[in-house]
Tab-separated table of all heavy atoms in Angstrom:
chain	number	residue	atom	x	y	z
A	1	SER	N	-23.672	8.703	10.400
A	1	SER	CA	-23.539	7.409	11.042
A	1	SER	C	-22.177	6.809	10.688
A	1	SER	O	-21.535	7.210	9.714
A	1	SER	CB	-24.651	6.472	10.579
A	1	SER	OG	-24.504	6.172	9.202
A	2	ASP	N	-21.746	5.827	11.490
A	2	ASP	CA	-20.480	5.153	11.201
A	2	ASP	C	-20.507	4.522	9.816
A	2	ASP	O	-19.501	4.533	9.094
A	2	ASP	CB	-20.206	4.094	12.260
A	2	ASP	CG	-19.842	4.705	13.602
A	2	ASP	OD1	-19.646	5.934	13.658
A	2	ASP	OD2	-19.764	3.952	14.596
A	3	LEU	N	-21.655	3.980	9.435
A	3	LEU	CA	-21.771	3.330	8.129
A	3	LEU	C	-21.614	4.351	7.004
A	3	LEU	O	-20.963	4.075	5.986
A	3	LEU	CB	-23.117	2.619	8.012
A	3	LEU	CG	-23.348	1.823	6.715
A	3	LEU	CD1	-22.296	0.731	6.573
A	3	LEU	CD2	-24.758	1.222	6.695
A	4	ALA	N	-22.203	5.549	7.191
A	4	ALA	CA	-22.095	6.589	6.170
A	4	ALA	C	-20.658	7.069	6.024
A	4	ALA	O	-20.169	7.291	4.912
A	4	ALA	CB	-23.014	7.754	6.518
A	5	ILE	N	-19.964	7.232	7.158
A	5	ILE	CA	-18.565	7.653	7.101
A	5	ILE	C	-17.717	6.581	6.436
A	5	ILE	O	-16.844	6.877	5.608
A	5	ILE	CB	-18.039	7.965	8.514
A	5	ILE	CG1	-18.787	9.159	9.113
A	5	ILE	CG2	-16.540	8.247	8.482
A	5	ILE	CD1	-18.367	9.497	10.534
A	6	LEU	N	-17.975	5.309	6.780
A	6	LEU	CA	-17.240	4.209	6.159
A	6	LEU	C	-17.459	4.198	4.650
A	6	LEU	O	-16.514	4.006	3.868
A	6	LEU	CB	-17.678	2.881	6.769
A	6	LEU	CG	-17.003	1.626	6.206
A	6	LEU	CD1	-15.502	1.681	6.428
A	6	LEU	CD2	-17.598	0.371	6.843
A	7	GLY	N	-18.690	4.430	4.242
A	7	GLY	CA	-18.977	4.481	2.812
A	7	GLY	C	-18.238	5.610	2.122
A	7	GLY	O	-17.709	5.439	1.013
A	8	ALA	N	-18.169	6.770	2.788
A	8	ALA	CA	-17.442	7.906	2.215
A	8	ALA	C	-15.955	7.606	2.096
A	8	ALA	O	-15.299	8.003	1.126
A	8	ALA	CB	-17.665	9.143	3.069
A	9	ILE	N	-15.403	6.892	3.087
A	9	ILE	CA	-13.983	6.528	3.041
A	9	ILE	C	-13.718	5.570	1.887
A	9	ILE	O	-12.730	5.706	1.154
A	9	ILE	CB	-13.542	5.900	4.376
A	9	ILE	CG1	-13.527	6.971	5.477
A	9	ILE	CG2	-12.166	5.261	4.249
A	9	ILE	CD1	-13.192	6.437	6.847
A	10	VAL	N	-14.611	4.593	1.699
A	10	VAL	CA	-14.451	3.639	0.600
A	10	VAL	C	-14.471	4.364	-0.740
A	10	VAL	O	-13.643	4.109	-1.622
A	10	VAL	CB	-15.556	2.564	0.652
A	10	VAL	CG1	-15.534	1.707	-0.617
A	10	VAL	CG2	-15.378	1.680	1.879
A	11	VAL	N	-15.404	5.310	-0.888
A	11	VAL	CA	-15.483	6.081	-2.137
A	11	VAL	C	-14.215	6.909	-2.324
A	11	VAL	O	-13.667	7.000	-3.433
A	11	VAL	CB	-16.733	6.980	-2.130
A	11	VAL	CG1	-16.712	7.937	-3.321
A	11	VAL	CG2	-17.995	6.139	-2.168
A	12	SER	N	-13.718	7.514	-1.243
A	12	SER	CA	-12.510	8.320	-1.320
A	12	SER	C	-11.305	7.475	-1.712
A	12	SER	O	-10.488	7.884	-2.545
A	12	SER	CB	-12.243	9.008	0.024
A	12	SER	OG	-13.295	9.882	0.364
A	13	PHE	N	-11.191	6.290	-1.108
A	13	PHE	CA	-10.097	5.389	-1.464
A	13	PHE	C	-10.193	4.979	-2.932
A	13	PHE	O	-9.183	4.934	-3.644
A	13	PHE	CB	-10.123	4.144	-0.577
A	13	PHE	CG	-9.299	4.281	0.669
A	13	PHE	CD1	-9.846	4.025	1.913
A	13	PHE	CD2	-7.961	4.648	0.605
A	13	PHE	CE1	-9.082	4.141	3.073
A	13	PHE	CE2	-7.190	4.771	1.752
A	13	PHE	CZ	-7.751	4.518	2.991
A	14	ALA	N	-11.401	4.656	-3.380
A	14	ALA	CA	-11.587	4.234	-4.768
A	14	ALA	C	-11.198	5.361	-5.725
A	14	ALA	O	-10.524	5.127	-6.743
A	14	ALA	CB	-13.044	3.819	-4.996
A	15	PHE	N	-11.602	6.582	-5.390
A	15	PHE	CA	-11.249	7.728	-6.231
A	15	PHE	C	-9.729	7.926	-6.251
A	15	PHE	O	-9.136	8.166	-7.316
A	15	PHE	CB	-11.938	8.981	-5.711
A	15	PHE	CG	-11.545	10.244	-6.435
A	15	PHE	CD1	-12.083	10.539	-7.682
A	15	PHE	CD2	-10.634	11.126	-5.879
A	15	PHE	CE1	-11.723	11.703	-8.359
A	15	PHE	CE2	-10.266	12.284	-6.539
A	15	PHE	CZ	-10.812	12.572	-7.788
A	16	SER	N	-9.094	7.824	-5.090
A	16	SER	CA	-7.649	8.019	-4.996
A	16	SER	C	-6.892	6.947	-5.773
A	16	SER	O	-5.901	7.240	-6.455
A	16	SER	CB	-7.210	8.004	-3.529
A	16	SER	OG	-7.826	9.049	-2.805
A	17	ILE	N	-7.357	5.693	-5.667
A	17	ILE	CA	-6.704	4.608	-6.399
A	17	ILE	C	-6.843	4.817	-7.903
A	17	ILE	O	-5.897	4.601	-8.672
A	17	ILE	CB	-7.289	3.248	-5.963
A	17	ILE	CG1	-6.831	2.920	-4.531
A	17	ILE	CG2	-6.873	2.136	-6.922
A	17	ILE	CD1	-7.531	1.738	-3.920
A	18	GLY	N	-8.020	5.251	-8.322
A	18	GLY	CA	-8.217	5.510	-9.742
A	18	GLY	C	-7.337	6.634	-10.258
A	18	GLY	O	-6.752	6.543	-11.350
A	19	LEU	N	-7.213	7.700	-9.443
A	19	LEU	CA	-6.481	8.887	-9.880
A	19	LEU	C	-4.973	8.723	-9.748
A	19	LEU	O	-4.218	9.185	-10.621
A	19	LEU	CB	-6.950	10.106	-9.065
A	19	LEU	CG	-6.453	11.481	-9.525
A	19	LEU	CD1	-6.931	11.781	-10.938
A	19	LEU	CD2	-6.944	12.560	-8.563
A	20	PHE	N	-4.529	8.068	-8.668
A	20	PHE	CA	-3.094	8.029	-8.388
A	20	PHE	C	-2.448	6.654	-8.580
A	20	PHE	O	-1.238	6.520	-8.411
A	20	PHE	CB	-2.832	8.502	-6.952
A	20	PHE	CG	-3.167	9.951	-6.733
A	20	PHE	CD1	-4.275	10.311	-5.982
A	20	PHE	CD2	-2.383	10.940	-7.288
A	20	PHE	CE1	-4.589	11.644	-5.785
A	20	PHE	CE2	-2.682	12.276	-7.103
A	20	PHE	CZ	-3.794	12.633	-6.354
A	21	VAL	N	-3.229	5.641	-8.920
A	21	VAL	CA	-2.662	4.325	-9.195
A	21	VAL	C	-3.006	3.883	-10.614
A	21	VAL	O	-2.113	3.651	-11.437
A	21	VAL	CB	-3.151	3.275	-8.171
A	21	VAL	CG1	-2.566	1.893	-8.514
A	21	VAL	CG2	-2.742	3.661	-6.762
A	22	ALA	N	-4.300	3.758	-10.891
A	22	ALA	CA	-4.724	3.222	-12.188
A	22	ALA	C	-4.370	4.153	-13.345
A	22	ALA	O	-3.793	3.719	-14.354
A	22	ALA	CB	-6.229	2.942	-12.165
A	23	LEU	N	-4.714	5.436	-13.230
A	23	LEU	CA	-4.469	6.369	-14.336
A	23	LEU	C	-2.979	6.517	-14.659
A	23	LEU	O	-2.588	6.396	-15.836
A	23	LEU	CB	-5.101	7.721	-14.017
A	23	LEU	CG	-4.900	8.827	-15.076
A	23	LEU	CD1	-5.490	8.393	-16.413
A	23	LEU	CD2	-5.538	10.138	-14.613
A	24	PRO	N	-2.107	6.783	-13.676
A	24	PRO	CA	-0.673	6.887	-14.005
A	24	PRO	C	-0.104	5.599	-14.602
A	24	PRO	O	0.729	5.643	-15.518
A	24	PRO	CB	-0.024	7.205	-12.660
A	24	PRO	CG	-1.110	7.823	-11.856
A	24	PRO	CD	-2.353	7.105	-12.270
A	25	HIS	N	-0.531	4.438	-14.064
A	25	HIS	CA	-0.050	3.160	-14.597
A	25	HIS	C	-0.466	3.013	-16.058
A	25	HIS	O	0.347	2.602	-16.908
A	25	HIS	CB	-0.599	2.011	-13.759
A	25	HIS	CG	-0.048	0.680	-14.164
A	25	HIS	ND1	0.937	0.029	-13.451
A	25	HIS	CD2	-0.333	-0.140	-15.227
A	25	HIS	CE1	1.236	-1.114	-14.035
A	25	HIS	NE2	0.476	-1.245	-15.115
A	26	ALA	N	-1.720	3.325	-16.361
A	26	ALA	CA	-2.213	3.182	-17.738
A	26	ALA	C	-1.471	4.117	-18.690
A	26	ALA	O	-1.094	3.715	-19.804
A	26	ALA	CB	-3.711	3.461	-17.776
A	27	LEU	N	-1.233	5.355	-18.246
A	27	LEU	CA	-0.521	6.315	-19.105
A	27	LEU	C	0.919	5.872	-19.342
A	27	LEU	O	1.446	6.014	-20.455
A	27	LEU	CB	-0.545	7.704	-18.461
A	27	LEU	CG	-1.918	8.379	-18.370
A	27	LEU	CD1	-1.815	9.698	-17.613
A	27	LEU	CD2	-2.505	8.601	-19.762
A	28	THR	N	1.546	5.312	-18.314
A	28	THR	CA	2.926	4.841	-18.459
A	28	THR	C	2.985	3.625	-19.373
A	28	THR	O	3.919	3.482	-20.184
A	28	THR	CB	3.525	4.492	-17.088
A	28	THR	OG1	3.380	5.607	-16.208
A	28	THR	CG2	5.004	4.163	-17.215
A	29	ALA	N	1.997	2.739	-19.271
A	29	ALA	CA	1.969	1.537	-20.109
A	29	ALA	C	1.871	1.903	-21.587
A	29	ALA	O	2.395	1.181	-22.452
A	29	ALA	CB	0.801	0.644	-19.700
A	30	LEU	N	1.231	3.028	-21.884
A	30	LEU	CA	1.105	3.453	-23.282
A	30	LEU	C	2.458	3.795	-23.902
A	30	LEU	O	2.592	3.823	-25.127
A	30	LEU	CB	0.175	4.667	-23.372
A	30	LEU	CG	-1.298	4.429	-23.035
A	30	LEU	CD1	-2.076	5.740	-23.073
A	30	LEU	CD2	-1.914	3.421	-24.002
A	31	LEU	N	3.464	4.049	-23.061
A	31	LEU	CA	4.798	4.396	-23.566
A	31	LEU	C	5.596	3.168	-23.981
A	31	LEU	O	6.698	3.297	-24.517
A	31	LEU	CB	5.572	5.177	-22.499
A	31	LEU	CG	4.947	6.500	-22.044
A	31	LEU	CD1	5.786	7.134	-20.942
A	31	LEU	CD2	4.798	7.453	-23.225
A	32	GLY	N	5.076	1.976	-23.686
A	32	GLY	CA	5.746	0.749	-24.097
A	32	GLY	C	6.783	0.234	-23.125
A	32	GLY	O	7.502	-0.733	-23.438
A	33	LEU	N	6.890	0.844	-21.936
A	33	LEU	CA	7.837	0.370	-20.933
A	33	LEU	C	7.289	-0.872	-20.238
A	33	LEU	O	6.068	-1.053	-20.131
A	33	LEU	CB	8.101	1.467	-19.901
A	33	LEU	CG	8.706	2.768	-20.435
A	33	LEU	CD1	8.729	3.832	-19.339
A	33	LEU	CD2	10.115	2.528	-20.961
A	34	THR	N	8.172	-1.726	-19.752
A	34	THR	CA	7.753	-2.932	-19.041
A	34	THR	C	7.780	-2.682	-17.537
A	34	THR	O	8.625	-1.925	-17.035
A	34	THR	CB	8.672	-4.117	-19.372
A	34	THR	OG1	10.010	-3.822	-18.929
A	34	THR	CG2	8.681	-4.383	-20.871
A	35	THR	N	6.893	-3.339	-16.814
A	35	THR	CA	6.806	-3.118	-15.370
A	35	THR	C	8.024	-3.662	-14.623
A	35	THR	O	8.219	-3.332	-13.458
A	35	THR	CB	5.537	-3.776	-14.807
A	35	THR	OG1	5.532	-5.172	-15.136
A	35	THR	CG2	4.289	-3.111	-15.360
A	36	GLU	N	8.830	-4.497	-15.279
A	36	GLU	CA	10.041	-5.005	-14.631
A	36	GLU	C	11.144	-3.948	-14.567
A	36	GLU	O	12.099	-4.086	-13.802
A	36	GLU	CB	10.569	-6.244	-15.363
A	36	GLU	CG	9.671	-7.468	-15.259
A	36	GLU	CD	8.547	-7.441	-16.275
A	36	GLU	OE1	8.535	-6.517	-17.128
A	36	GLU	OE2	7.671	-8.334	-16.223
A	37	SER	N	11.034	-2.908	-15.356
A	37	SER	CA	12.093	-1.895	-15.421
A	37	SER	C	11.833	-0.781	-14.416
A	37	SER	O	10.685	-0.411	-14.156
A	37	SER	CB	12.181	-1.314	-16.832
A	37	SER	OG	11.008	-0.562	-17.131
A	38	TRP	N	12.913	-0.236	-13.855
A	38	TRP	CA	12.761	0.879	-12.916
A	38	TRP	C	12.275	2.128	-13.636
A	38	TRP	O	11.636	2.997	-13.026
A	38	TRP	CB	14.091	1.152	-12.202
A	38	TRP	CG	15.187	1.677	-13.101
A	38	TRP	CD1	16.147	0.944	-13.730
A	38	TRP	CD2	15.412	3.040	-13.461
A	38	TRP	NE1	16.965	1.759	-14.467
A	38	TRP	CE2	16.546	3.058	-14.315
A	38	TRP	CE3	14.786	4.255	-13.154
A	38	TRP	CZ2	17.047	4.231	-14.868
A	38	TRP	CZ3	15.283	5.429	-13.704
A	38	TRP	CH2	16.409	5.415	-14.545
A	39	GLN	N	12.554	2.187	-14.945
A	39	GLN	CA	12.102	3.362	-15.699
A	39	GLN	C	10.580	3.472	-15.712
A	39	GLN	O	10.031	4.583	-15.663
A	39	GLN	CB	12.625	3.299	-17.146
A	39	GLN	CG	14.125	3.463	-17.268
A	39	GLN	CD	14.848	2.142	-17.282
A	39	GLN	OE1	14.326	1.128	-16.770
A	39	GLN	NE2	16.045	2.112	-17.857
A	40	PHE	N	9.905	2.305	-15.771
A	40	PHE	CA	8.434	2.320	-15.757
A	40	PHE	C	7.941	3.001	-14.492
A	40	PHE	O	7.071	3.879	-14.545
A	40	PHE	CB	7.899	0.889	-15.837
A	40	PHE	CG	6.387	0.804	-15.884
A	40	PHE	CD1	5.742	0.592	-17.092
A	40	PHE	CD2	5.612	0.932	-14.729
A	40	PHE	CE1	4.355	0.516	-17.144
A	40	PHE	CE2	4.239	0.858	-14.777
A	40	PHE	CZ	3.608	0.652	-15.991
A	41	HIS	N	8.474	2.615	-13.361
A	41	HIS	CA	7.978	3.118	-12.078
A	41	HIS	C	8.436	4.555	-11.814
A	41	HIS	O	7.750	5.304	-11.115
A	41	HIS	CB	8.411	2.171	-10.965
A	41	HIS	CG	7.934	0.777	-11.194
A	41	HIS	ND1	6.604	0.418	-11.119
A	41	HIS	CD2	8.606	-0.354	-11.556
A	41	HIS	CE1	6.468	-0.874	-11.399
A	41	HIS	NE2	7.669	-1.357	-11.665
A	42	ALA	N	9.579	4.936	-12.400
A	42	ALA	CA	10.008	6.326	-12.296
A	42	ALA	C	9.046	7.245	-13.055
A	42	ALA	O	8.611	8.279	-12.538
A	42	ALA	CB	11.433	6.483	-12.830
A	43	VAL	N	8.706	6.845	-14.279
A	43	VAL	CA	7.754	7.640	-15.070
A	43	VAL	C	6.383	7.627	-14.412
A	43	VAL	O	5.702	8.660	-14.315
A	43	VAL	CB	7.665	7.092	-16.511
A	43	VAL	CG1	6.545	7.791	-17.285
A	43	VAL	CG2	8.991	7.268	-17.232
A	44	ASP	N	5.964	6.446	-13.944
A	44	ASP	CA	4.684	6.302	-13.252
A	44	ASP	C	4.627	7.248	-12.044
A	44	ASP	O	3.628	7.939	-11.820
A	44	ASP	CB	4.529	4.853	-12.806
A	44	ASP	CG	3.243	4.605	-12.032
A	44	ASP	OD1	2.167	4.918	-12.547
A	44	ASP	OD2	3.327	4.083	-10.901
A	45	GLY	N	5.707	7.300	-11.260
A	45	GLY	CA	5.746	8.173	-10.087
A	45	GLY	C	5.720	9.643	-10.445
A	45	GLY	O	5.048	10.446	-9.788
A	46	LEU	N	6.431	10.008	-11.499
A	46	LEU	CA	6.434	11.414	-11.925
A	46	LEU	C	5.046	11.847	-12.393
A	46	LEU	O	4.632	12.989	-12.148
A	46	LEU	CB	7.465	11.620	-13.042
A	46	LEU	CG	8.938	11.503	-12.612
A	46	LEU	CD1	9.857	11.597	-13.829
A	46	LEU	CD2	9.291	12.590	-11.599
A	47	ILE	N	4.339	10.932	-13.060
A	47	ILE	CA	2.967	11.247	-13.483
A	47	ILE	C	2.069	11.443	-12.263
A	47	ILE	O	1.235	12.364	-12.223
A	47	ILE	CB	2.417	10.141	-14.401
A	47	ILE	CG1	3.178	10.128	-15.731
A	47	ILE	CG2	0.915	10.343	-14.652
A	47	ILE	CD1	2.785	8.988	-16.653
């Protein structure tokens, strides 16, 4: 059903955000870099 597909998309987005946004950001933050620096986002992107 459309509702089931929508639910699967929401779960997929949540998984992707956790894996490719939250986890890399958290790992980069552990290095002590500040989010204002380009180095933070370079390391975050490489992760």
